[in-house]
């Protein structure tokens, strides 16, 4: 990408993140480095995808922010809602794509050294690394849209990992709604449209040109893989990530910056199991948190003889939200590349071929 475009665009993103408090200070630095890694690539596609994801993600985060803040609680004891994103969250969303983009940039540079006349465009049935990077952004965009907009659904979320698909409080990891799934497809479609509009498709030369039908198939595939990424994230979150509930208020407690939520004391030291069952019953009947007693979000220690009001609602505390997002992005990227190699009938070794 040309420096005359990349530098001012990166500075504009940095200014926007600072002025609107979209990222923490360290998160802003890491985001700038990530943008630099994208700008190193000769194509403008990847930098554009990063910008579109950042702008789209921050936009949906701000949608009815005050409403979303009342649906969950923060681990610090305040109201919930997504705060400034940290450097870990930036890497969880863009780390896999950054590695693939840098590898492909190196691949293109090696081709240029071997053959000065080599095509620098994207030929049909080639450059599988590109597919992986695009799939990464489709998946994380779908997940972001699904999480930020799905929580506003009027219907209660259902736990996707539950055999009975039981109702759970808003913000539960693995909780899905039809509205959230559709919102996720919208986020993936945003990446698909951007790709088809910006990607440097070959239209001649030594590489195979893309037909309009093939470009349409690509857009559809990107949207599908993005939607699958959102669903996969729900499964992984439901299995590997603990959803912690404040039993007295019936609201999910969110970890700051996507980190794990601390639960002090065993279930026997916490509230009675009957109280937990009552909370689940009320949520299952659609009464929601508003019908439950409104008390403090947490008692984080045992001072004064009080025990923690936090209880694991579902899942296991194996990974935090950032690790789940990174794992999901990696799996979708690898799966998309594997599917492309199967569809185009090209060998695995093509990834390392110049």
């Amino acid at each position: 990408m040309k420096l005359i475009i990349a530098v001012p665009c990166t500075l504009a993103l940095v200014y926007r993140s600072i002025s609107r408090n979209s990222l923490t200070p360290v998160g802003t630095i890491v985001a700038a480095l990530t943008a630099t890694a994208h700008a190193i690539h000769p194509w403008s596609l990847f930098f554009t995808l990063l910008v579109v994801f950042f702008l789209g993600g921050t936009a949906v985060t701000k949608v009815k922010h005050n409403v979303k803040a009342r649906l969950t609680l923060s681990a610090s004891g305040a109201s919930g809602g997504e705060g400034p994103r940290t450097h870990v969250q930036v890497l969880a969303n863009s780390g896999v794509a950054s590695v693939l983009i840098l590898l492909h940039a190196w691949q293109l540079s090696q081709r240029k050294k071997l053959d000065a006349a080599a095509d620098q465009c994207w030929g049909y049935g080639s450059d599988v690394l590109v597919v992986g990077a695009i799939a990464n952004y489709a998946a994380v965009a779908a997940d972001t849209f699904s999480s930020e907009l799905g929580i506003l659904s009027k219907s209660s979320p259902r736990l996707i990992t539950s055999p009975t698909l039981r109702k759970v409080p808003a913000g539960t990891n693995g909780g899905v709604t039809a509205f959230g799934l559709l919102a996720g497809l919208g986020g993936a479609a945003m990446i698909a449209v951007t790709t088809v509009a910006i990607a440097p498709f070959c239209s001649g030369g030594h590489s195979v040109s893309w037909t309009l039908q093939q470009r349409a198939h690509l857009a559809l595939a990107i949207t599908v893989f993005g939607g699958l990424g959102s669903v996969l994230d729900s499964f992984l979150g439901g299995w590997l990530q603990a959803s912690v509930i404040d039993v007295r208020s019936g609201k999910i407690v969110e970890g700051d910056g996507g980190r794990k939520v601390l639960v002090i004391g065993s279930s026997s030291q916490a509230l009675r199991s009957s109280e937990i069952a009552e909370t689940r019953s009320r949520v299952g009947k659609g009464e929601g948190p508003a019908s439950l007693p409104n008390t403090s979000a947490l008692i984080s220690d045992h001072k004064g003889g009080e025990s923690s009001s936090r209880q694991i609602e579902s899942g296991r505390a194996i990974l935090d939200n950032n690790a789940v997002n990174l794992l999901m992005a990696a799996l979708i990227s690898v799966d998309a590349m594997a599917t492309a190699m199967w569809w185009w009938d090209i060998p695995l070794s093509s990834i390392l071929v110049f």
Side-chain angles (χ1 to χ4, degrees):
M1 186 174 182
K2 294 181 179 180
L3 289 178
I4 194 173
I5 299 176
V7 173
C9 286
T10 301
L11 292 176
L13 287 176
V14 170
Y15 173 76
R16 188 183 189 282
S17 66
I18 294 175
S19 63
R20 302 200 178 188
N21 198 32
S22 302
L23 299 170
T24 63
V26 179
T28 300
I29 294 173
V30 173
L33 294 175
T34 301
T36 302
H38 286 54
I40 288 175
H41 197 284
W43 299 355
S44 61
L45 169 64
F46 301 116
F47 190 89
T48 304
L49 290 179
L50 175 65
V51 172
V52 168
F53 168 67
F54 174 72
L55 295 178
T58 53
V60 296
T61 299
K62 300 298 183 182
V63 172
K64 295 188 177 181
H65 184 269
N66 292 335
V67 175
K68 290 187 286 189
R70 295 194 295 268
L71 296 176
T72 59
L73 296 171
S74 169
S76 62
S79 59
E82 183 70 53
R85 296 183 183 273
T86 68
H87 64 289
V88 179
Q89 289 173 299
V90 172
L91 292 174
N93 287 319
S94 301
V96 174
S98 296
V99 172
L100 296 175
I101 290 165
L102 290 174
L103 283 174
H104 188 251
W106 172 79
Q107 196 175 62
L108 289 179
S109 67
Q110 295 302 308
R111 289 179 191 171
K112 197 70 174 179
K113 288 181 180 179
L114 294 175
D115 183 4
D119 292 329
Q120 293 290 295
C121 55
W122 187 13
Y124 180 76
S126 65
D127 296 304
V128 176
L129 293 173
V130 175
V131 174
I134 296 171
N136 175 102
Y137 278 114
V140 296
D143 178 53
T144 301
F145 276 56
S146 180
S147 299
E148 294 295 339
L149 299 179
I151 195 172
L152 298 172
S153 175
K154 295 182 179 179
S155 61
S156 299
R158 301 273 184 171
L159 186 61
I160 198 170
T161 55
S162 169
T164 60
L165 295 177
R166 66 179 175 87
K167 292 182 179 181
V168 289
T172 300
N173 299 307
V176 298
T177 63
F179 179 70
L181 294 175
L182 288 175
L185 288 175
M190 175 185 71
I191 298 298
V193 171
T194 303
T195 298
V196 173
I198 302 296
F201 296 111
C202 290
S203 58
H206 301 292
S207 301
V208 180
S209 301
W210 289 72
T211 65
L212 290 177
Q213 185 179 31
Q214 289 167 342
R215 297 184 191 191
H217 289 165
L218 175 65
L220 178 61
I222 293 171
T223 303
V224 170
F225 271 99
L228 289 175
S230 176
V231 174
L232 176 61
D233 187 88
S234 296
F235 274 107
L236 293 175
W239 285 325
L240 306 177
Q241 188 179 351
S243 292
V244 178
I245 190 173
D246 175 67
V247 183
R248 295 189 179 98
S249 67
K251 296 180 180 180
I252 292 295
V253 183
E254 296 182 318
D256 296 332
R259 294 187 292 270
K260 292 181 180 180
V261 177
L262 180 63
V263 179
I264 297 179
S266 64
S267 58
S268 61
Q269 293 172 320
L271 300 180
R272 299 184 304 273
S273 59
S274 59
E275 196 169 353
I276 299 169
E278 180 185 359
T279 300
R280 288 182 175 174
S281 175
R282 293 188 181 186
V283 171
K285 293 176 181 178
E287 297 181 27
S291 66
L292 301 175
N294 184 18
T295 60
S296 171
L298 85 107
I299 303 171
S300 60
D301 52 36
H302 295 278
K303 293 179 181 179
E306 294 183 278
S307 61
S308 171
S309 67
R310 296 177 180 179
Q311 183 73 24
I312 294 180
E313 157 68 19
S314 62
R316 297 184 178 183
I318 298 175
L319 299 177
D320 63 11
N321 188 64
N322 299 321
V324 167
N325 288 344
L326 179 62
L327 177 60
M328 180 274 292
L331 290 174
I332 288 297
S333 294
V334 171
D335 189 30
M337 289 190 291
T339 302
M341 286 187 289
W342 169 76
W343 184 261
W344 289 333
D345 193 21
I346 55 179
L348 179 63
S349 58
S350 65
I351 295 179
L352 300 178
V353 171
F354 304 147

